[in-house]
Coordinates of all heavy atoms in Angstrom, one line a residue:
L179 N -174.9 140.3 99.1 CA -174.2 140.5 100.3 C -173.7 142.0 100.5 O -173.8 142.6 101.6 CB -172.9 139.6 100.4 CG -172.3 139.4 101.7 CD1 -173.3 138.8 102.8 CD2 -171.1 138.4 101.6
M180 N -173.4 142.6 99.4 CA -173.0 144.1 99.5 C -174.2 144.9 99.8 O -174.0 145.9 100.6 CB -172.4 144.5 98.1 CG -171.0 144.0 97.8 SD -170.3 144.6 96.3 CE -170.1 146.3 96.7
S181 N -175.3 144.5 99.3 CA -176.5 145.4 99.6 C -176.9 145.2 101.0 O -177.4 146.1 101.7 CB -177.7 145.0 98.6 OG -178.0 143.6 98.8
A182 N -176.7 144.0 101.7 CA -177.0 143.7 103.1 C -176.1 144.6 103.9 O -176.5 145.2 104.9 CB -176.9 142.3 103.4
A183 N -174.8 144.7 103.6 CA -173.9 145.5 104.4 C -174.2 147.0 104.2 O -174.1 147.7 105.2 CB -172.4 145.2 103.9
A184 N -174.6 147.4 103.0 CA -174.9 148.8 102.8 C -176.3 149.1 103.6 O -176.4 150.2 104.2 CB -175.2 149.1 101.4
A185 N -177.3 148.2 103.6 CA -178.5 148.5 104.4 C -178.2 148.4 105.9 O -178.8 149.4 106.6 CB -179.5 147.4 104.0
A186 N -177.4 147.6 106.4 CA -177.1 147.6 107.7 C -176.4 148.9 108.2 O -176.6 149.4 109.2 CB -176.2 146.4 108.1
R187 N -175.5 149.4 107.4 CA -174.7 150.6 107.6 C -175.8 151.8 107.7 O -175.6 152.6 108.6 CB -173.7 150.9 106.6 CG -172.9 152.1 106.9 CD -171.8 152.4 105.8 NE -171.0 153.5 106.2 CZ -171.3 154.8 106.1 NH1 -172.4 155.2 105.5 NH2 -170.5 155.7 106.4
A188 N -176.7 151.7 106.8 CA -177.8 152.8 106.8 C -178.5 152.8 108.1 O -178.9 153.8 108.7 CB -178.7 152.7 105.6
L189 N -178.9 151.5 108.5 CA -179.7 151.4 109.8 C -178.9 151.9 111.0 O -179.4 152.6 111.9 CB -180.1 150.0 109.9 CG -181.2 149.5 108.9 CD1 -181.6 148.1 109.2 CD2 -182.5 150.4 109.1
F190 N -177.6 151.5 111.0 CA -176.8 151.9 112.1 C -176.6 153.5 112.1 O -176.5 154.2 113.1 CB -175.4 151.2 112.1 CG -175.4 149.9 112.5 CD1 -174.8 148.9 111.7 CD2 -176.0 149.5 113.7 CE1 -175.0 147.6 112.1 CE2 -176.0 148.2 114.1 CZ -175.5 147.1 113.3
D191 N -176.5 154.1 110.9 CA -176.4 155.5 110.8 C -177.7 156.2 111.4 O -177.6 157.2 112.1 CB -176.2 155.9 109.4 CG -175.8 157.3 109.2 OD1 -175.1 158.0 110.1 OD2 -176.3 158.0 108.2
V192 N -178.9 155.7 111.0 CA -180.1 156.3 111.5 C -180.1 156.1 113.0 O -180.6 157.1 113.7 CB -181.3 155.6 110.8 CG1 -182.6 155.9 111.5 CG2 -181.4 155.9 109.4
G193 N -179.7 154.9 113.5 CA -179.8 154.7 115.0 C -178.8 155.7 115.7 O -179.2 156.2 116.8
E194 N -177.6 155.9 115.1 CA -176.7 156.8 115.7 C -177.2 158.2 115.7 O -177.1 159.0 116.7 CB -175.4 156.8 114.8 CG -174.3 157.7 115.2 CD -173.2 157.9 114.3 OE1 -173.5 157.7 113.0 OE2 -172.1 158.1 114.6
N195 N -177.8 158.7 114.6 CA -178.4 160.0 114.5 C -179.6 160.1 115.6 O -179.7 161.2 116.2 CB -178.9 160.3 113.2 CG -177.9 160.4 112.2 OD1 -176.7 160.6 112.5 ND2 -178.2 160.3 110.9
L196 N -180.4 159.2 115.7 CA -181.4 159.2 116.8 C -180.9 159.3 118.1 O -181.4 160.1 119.0 CB -182.4 158.0 116.7 CG -183.2 157.9 115.4 CD1 -184.0 156.6 115.4 CD2 -184.2 159.1 115.4
C197 N -179.8 158.6 118.4 CA -179.1 158.7 119.7 C -178.6 160.2 119.9 O -178.8 160.7 121.0 CB -178.0 157.8 119.8 SG -178.5 156.0 120.0
F198 N -178.0 160.7 118.9 CA -177.4 162.0 119.1 C -178.6 163.1 119.2 O -178.4 164.0 120.1 CB -176.5 162.4 117.9 CG -175.2 161.7 117.9 CD1 -174.6 161.2 116.8 CD2 -174.5 161.5 119.1 CE1 -173.4 160.6 116.8 CE2 -173.4 160.9 119.1 CZ -172.8 160.4 118.0
L199 N -179.7 162.9 118.6 CA -180.8 163.9 118.7 C -181.4 163.8 120.1 O -181.7 164.8 120.7 CB -181.9 163.5 117.6 CG -181.6 164.0 116.3 CD1 -182.7 163.5 115.3 CD2 -181.5 165.5 116.2
R200 N -181.4 162.5 120.6 CA -182.0 162.4 122.0 C -181.0 163.1 123.1 O -181.4 163.7 124.0 CB -182.1 160.9 122.3 CG -182.6 160.6 123.7 CD -184.0 161.2 124.0 NE -184.4 160.8 125.3 CZ -184.6 161.7 126.3 NH1 -184.4 163.0 126.0 NH2 -185.0 161.4 127.5
L201 N -179.7 162.9 122.8 CA -178.7 163.5 123.7 C -178.8 165.0 123.6 O -178.6 165.7 124.7 CB -177.2 163.1 123.3 CG -176.9 161.6 123.7 CD1 -175.7 161.2 123.0 CD2 -176.9 161.5 125.1
L202 N -179.0 165.6 122.4 CA -179.1 167.0 122.4 C -180.3 167.6 122.9 O -180.4 168.7 123.5 CB -179.0 167.5 120.8 CG -177.7 167.3 120.1 CD1 -177.8 167.5 118.6 CD2 -176.7 168.3 120.7
R203 N -181.5 166.8 122.9 CA -182.7 167.3 123.5 C -182.6 167.3 125.0 O -183.2 168.1 125.7 CB -183.8 166.4 123.1 CG -184.3 166.7 121.6 CD -185.6 166.0 121.4 NE -185.9 166.0 119.9 CZ -186.4 165.0 119.3 NH1 -186.7 163.9 119.8 NH2 -186.6 165.2 117.9
A204 N -181.8 166.3 125.5 CA -181.7 166.2 126.9 C -180.6 167.1 127.5 O -180.6 167.2 128.8 CB -181.4 164.7 127.3
Y205 N -179.9 167.8 126.7 CA -178.9 168.7 127.2 C -179.4 169.7 128.1 O -180.5 170.3 127.8 CB -178.1 169.3 126.1 CG -177.0 170.2 126.5 CD1 -175.7 169.6 126.8 CD2 -177.1 171.6 126.5 CE1 -174.7 170.4 127.2 CE2 -176.1 172.4 126.9 CZ -174.8 171.7 127.3 OH -173.8 172.6 127.7
P206 N -178.9 170.1 129.3 CA -177.6 169.8 129.8 C -177.5 168.5 130.6 O -176.6 168.1 131.3 CB -177.3 171.0 130.7 CG -178.6 171.4 131.1 CD -179.5 171.1 130.1
E207 N -178.6 167.7 130.7 CA -178.6 166.5 131.4 C -177.7 165.5 130.7 O -177.6 165.4 129.5 CB -180.1 165.8 131.5 CG -180.1 164.5 132.2 CD -181.4 163.8 132.0 OE1 -182.4 164.6 131.5 OE2 -181.6 162.6 132.2
R208 N -176.9 164.7 131.6 CA -175.9 163.8 131.0 C -176.6 162.4 130.9 O -177.3 162.0 131.8 CB -174.7 163.7 131.9 CG -173.9 165.0 131.9 CD -172.7 164.8 132.9 NE -171.8 163.8 132.5 CZ -170.7 164.0 131.8 NH1 -170.3 165.3 131.5 NH2 -169.8 163.0 131.5
M209 N -176.4 161.8 129.8 CA -176.9 160.5 129.6 C -175.8 159.6 129.0 O -175.6 159.4 127.8 CB -178.1 160.5 128.5 CG -179.2 161.4 128.9 SD -180.5 161.4 127.8 CE -181.3 159.9 128.0
N210 N -174.9 159.2 129.9 CA -173.7 158.4 129.6 C -173.9 157.1 128.9 O -173.2 156.8 128.0 CB -172.8 158.2 130.8 CG -172.3 159.6 131.4 OD1 -172.1 160.5 130.6 ND2 -172.1 159.6 132.7
G211 N -175.0 156.4 129.3 CA -175.3 155.2 128.7 C -175.7 155.3 127.3 O -175.2 154.6 126.4
L212 N -176.5 156.3 126.9 CA -176.9 156.6 125.5 C -175.8 157.1 124.7 O -175.6 156.7 123.5 CB -178.1 157.6 125.5 CG -178.7 157.8 124.2 CD1 -179.2 156.5 123.6 CD2 -179.8 158.9 124.3
A213 N -174.9 157.8 125.3 CA -173.7 158.3 124.6 C -172.8 157.1 124.3 O -172.2 157.0 123.2 CB -172.9 159.3 125.4
S214 N -172.6 156.2 125.2 CA -171.9 155.0 125.0 C -172.5 154.1 123.8 O -171.8 153.6 122.9 CB -171.7 154.1 126.2 OG -171.0 154.8 127.1
F215 N -173.8 154.0 123.8 CA -174.6 153.4 122.9 C -174.3 154.0 121.5 O -174.2 153.2 120.5 CB -176.0 153.2 123.2 CG -176.8 152.3 122.3 CD1 -176.5 150.9 122.2 CD2 -177.7 152.8 121.4 CE1 -177.2 150.1 121.3 CE2 -178.4 152.1 120.6 CZ -178.2 150.6 120.5
A216 N -174.3 155.3 121.4 CA -174.1 156.0 120.1 C -172.7 155.6 119.6 O -172.5 155.5 118.4 CB -174.3 157.5 120.4
G217 N -171.7 155.5 120.5 CA -170.4 155.1 120.0 C -170.4 153.7 119.5 O -169.6 153.5 118.5
V218 N -171.1 152.8 120.1 CA -171.2 151.5 119.6 C -171.9 151.4 118.1 O -171.5 150.7 117.3 CB -172.1 150.5 120.5 CG1 -172.4 149.2 119.9 CG2 -171.3 150.4 121.8
M219 N -172.9 152.3 118.0 CA -173.5 152.4 116.7 C -172.5 153.0 115.7 O -172.5 152.5 114.5 CB -174.7 153.3 116.7 CG -175.8 152.8 117.7 SD -176.6 151.4 117.0 CE -178.0 152.1 116.2
T220 N -171.7 153.8 116.0 CA -170.7 154.5 115.1 C -169.7 153.4 114.7 O -169.3 153.2 113.6 CB -170.0 155.6 115.8 OG1 -170.9 156.6 116.2 CG2 -168.9 156.2 114.9
A221 N -169.3 152.5 115.7 CA -168.3 151.5 115.5 C -168.9 150.4 114.5 O -168.2 150.0 113.6 CB -167.9 150.8 116.8
A222 N -170.2 150.1 114.8 CA -170.9 149.1 113.9 C -171.0 149.7 112.5 O -170.9 148.8 111.5 CB -172.3 148.7 114.5
K223 N -171.3 150.9 112.4 CA -171.4 151.6 111.1 C -170.2 151.5 110.3 O -170.1 151.2 109.1 CB -171.9 153.0 111.3 CG -172.1 153.8 110.0 CD -172.7 155.2 110.2 CE -171.6 156.1 110.8 NZ -171.9 157.4 110.8
S224 N -169.0 151.7 111.0 CA -167.6 151.6 110.5 C -167.4 150.2 110.0 O -166.8 150.1 108.9 CB -166.6 152.2 111.4 OG -166.8 153.5 111.6
L225 N -167.7 149.2 110.9 CA -167.5 147.9 110.4 C -168.2 147.5 109.2 O -167.7 146.7 108.3 CB -167.7 146.9 111.6 CG -166.8 147.0 112.8 CD1 -167.4 146.2 114.0 CD2 -165.4 146.6 112.4
C226 N -169.4 148.0 109.0 CA -170.2 147.7 107.9 C -169.6 148.3 106.6 O -169.5 147.6 105.5 CB -171.7 148.1 108.1 SG -172.6 147.1 109.2
L227 N -168.9 149.5 106.8 CA -168.4 150.1 105.7 C -167.1 149.3 105.2 O -166.9 149.0 104.1 CB -167.9 151.6 106.0 CG -167.1 152.2 105.0 CD1 -167.9 152.4 103.7 CD2 -166.6 153.6 105.5
Y228 N -166.3 148.8 106.2 CA -165.2 148.1 105.9 C -165.5 146.8 105.3 O -164.8 146.3 104.4 CB -164.3 147.9 107.1 CG -163.8 149.2 107.8 CD1 -163.7 149.3 109.2 CD2 -163.5 150.3 107.1 CE1 -163.2 150.5 109.8 CE2 -163.1 151.4 107.6 CZ -162.9 151.5 109.0 OH -162.5 152.7 109.6
A229 N -166.5 146.1 105.8 CA -167.0 144.8 105.2 C -167.5 145.1 103.7 O -167.1 144.3 102.8 CB -168.2 144.4 105.9
W230 N -168.2 146.2 103.5 CA -168.7 146.5 102.1 C -167.4 146.8 101.2 O -167.4 146.2 100.1 CB -169.5 147.7 102.1 CG -170.1 148.1 100.9 CD1 -171.3 147.6 100.4 CD2 -169.6 148.9 99.8 NE1 -171.5 148.1 99.1 CE2 -170.5 148.9 98.7 CE3 -168.4 149.6 99.7 CZ2 -170.3 149.6 97.6 CZ3 -168.3 150.4 98.5 CH2 -169.2 150.4 97.5
I231 N -166.4 147.4 101.7 CA -165.2 147.7 100.8 C -164.5 146.3 100.6 O -164.0 146.1 99.5 CB -164.3 148.7 101.5 CG1 -165.0 150.1 101.4 CG2 -163.0 148.8 100.8 CD1 -164.3 151.2 102.2
G232 N -164.4 145.5 101.7 CA -163.8 144.2 101.5 C -164.5 143.4 100.4 O -163.8 142.7 99.6
I233 N -165.8 143.3 100.5 CA -166.6 142.5 99.6 C -166.4 143.1 98.1 O -166.3 142.4 97.2 CB -168.1 142.5 100.0 CG1 -168.2 141.7 101.3 CG2 -168.9 141.8 98.9 CD1 -169.6 141.9 101.9
L234 N -166.4 144.4 98.0 CA -166.2 145.0 96.7 C -164.8 144.6 96.1 O -164.8 144.2 94.9 CB -166.2 146.6 96.9 CG -165.9 147.4 95.6 CD1 -166.9 147.2 94.6 CD2 -165.6 148.8 96.0
F235 N -163.8 144.8 96.9 CA -162.5 144.3 96.3 C -162.4 142.8 96.0 O -161.8 142.4 95.0 CB -161.4 144.8 97.2 CG -160.9 146.1 97.0 CD1 -161.2 147.1 98.1 CD2 -160.2 146.6 96.0 CE1 -160.9 148.4 97.8 CE2 -160.0 147.9 95.8 CZ -160.3 148.9 96.8
F236 N -163.0 142.1 96.8 CA -163.1 140.6 96.6 C -163.7 140.3 95.3 O -163.3 139.6 94.4 CB -163.8 139.8 97.7 CG -163.9 138.3 97.4 CD1 -162.7 137.5 97.6 CD2 -165.1 137.9 97.0 CE1 -162.9 136.1 97.3 CE2 -165.2 136.5 96.8 CZ -164.1 135.6 96.9
N237 N -164.9 140.9 95.1 CA -165.6 140.7 93.8 C -164.9 141.3 92.6 O -164.9 140.6 91.5 CB -167.1 141.4 93.8 CG -168.0 140.8 94.7 OD1 -167.8 139.6 95.1 ND2 -169.0 141.5 95.2
L238 N -164.2 142.4 92.7 CA -163.4 142.9 91.6 C -162.3 142.0 91.3 O -162.0 141.7 90.1 CB -162.9 144.4 92.0 CG -163.9 145.4 92.0 CD1 -163.2 146.7 92.5 CD2 -164.4 145.7 90.6
F239 N -161.6 141.6 92.3 CA -160.4 140.7 92.0 C -160.8 139.3 91.5 O -160.1 138.7 90.7 CB -159.5 140.5 93.2 CG -158.7 141.7 93.5 CD1 -158.7 142.3 94.7 CD2 -157.7 142.1 92.6 CE1 -158.0 143.4 95.0 CE2 -157.0 143.3 92.8 CZ -157.0 143.9 94.0
S240 N -161.9 138.8 92.0 CA -162.4 137.5 91.5 C -162.8 137.5 90.1 O -162.6 136.6 89.4 CB -163.5 136.9 92.5 OG -164.6 137.8 92.5
S241 N -163.5 138.6 89.8 CA -163.9 138.7 88.3 C -162.8 139.1 87.4 O -162.7 138.6 86.2 CB -165.0 139.7 88.1 OG -164.7 140.9 88.6
A242 N -161.7 139.8 87.9 CA -160.7 140.2 87.0 C -159.6 139.0 86.9 O -159.1 138.9 85.8 CB -159.9 141.3 87.7
F243 N -159.4 138.2 87.9 CA -158.5 137.1 87.8 C -159.1 135.8 87.8 O -158.4 134.7 87.9 CB -157.5 137.2 89.0 CG -156.7 138.4 89.0 CD1 -156.9 139.4 90.0 CD2 -155.8 138.8 88.0 CE1 -156.3 140.6 90.1 CE2 -155.1 140.0 88.1 CZ -155.3 140.9 89.0
G244 N -160.4 135.7 87.7 CA -161.1 134.4 87.7 C -160.9 133.5 88.9 O -160.9 132.3 88.8
I245 N -160.9 134.1 90.1 CA -160.7 133.3 91.3 C -162.0 132.6 91.7 O -163.0 133.1 91.6 CB -160.3 134.3 92.5 CG1 -159.0 134.9 92.1 CG2 -160.2 133.5 93.8 CD1 -158.5 135.9 93.1

């Protein structure tokens, strides 16, 4: 499960970077929809990181305390 969260985070990071590259190439043209989508990718990337950290602590505590 941790590796799935890490892989999803990496994919969201690549998607975010591709959005930003497209925005930079299109400059000075405004692409508000793509900029919003890049923000969604950033939020999804952060959620994957928080999930990974939560799973990490759950695994640590479950093995330390036998939960």
Side-chain angles (χ1 to χ4, degrees):
L179 197 56
M180 287 181 70
S181 58
R187 184 178 187 279
L189 290 176
F190 286 128
D191 189 38
V192 169
E194 176 191 33
N195 292 341
L196 290 174
C197 288
F198 287 140
L199 284 174
R200 177 68 180 112
L201 287 168
L202 287 171
R203 284 189 192 140
Y205 184 80
E207 178 187 347
R208 293 178 63 99
M209 301 179 77
N210 294 332
L212 187 59
S214 296
F215 185 67
V218 169
M219 298 291 268
T220 303
K223 183 176 74 167
S224 297
L225 287 175
C226 287
L227 174 64
Y228 300 144
W230 186 88
I231 291 171
I233 295 166
L234 172 69
F235 278 108
F236 177 78
N237 288 341
L238 288 173
F239 284 123
S240 64
S241 59
F243 299 114
I245 298 174

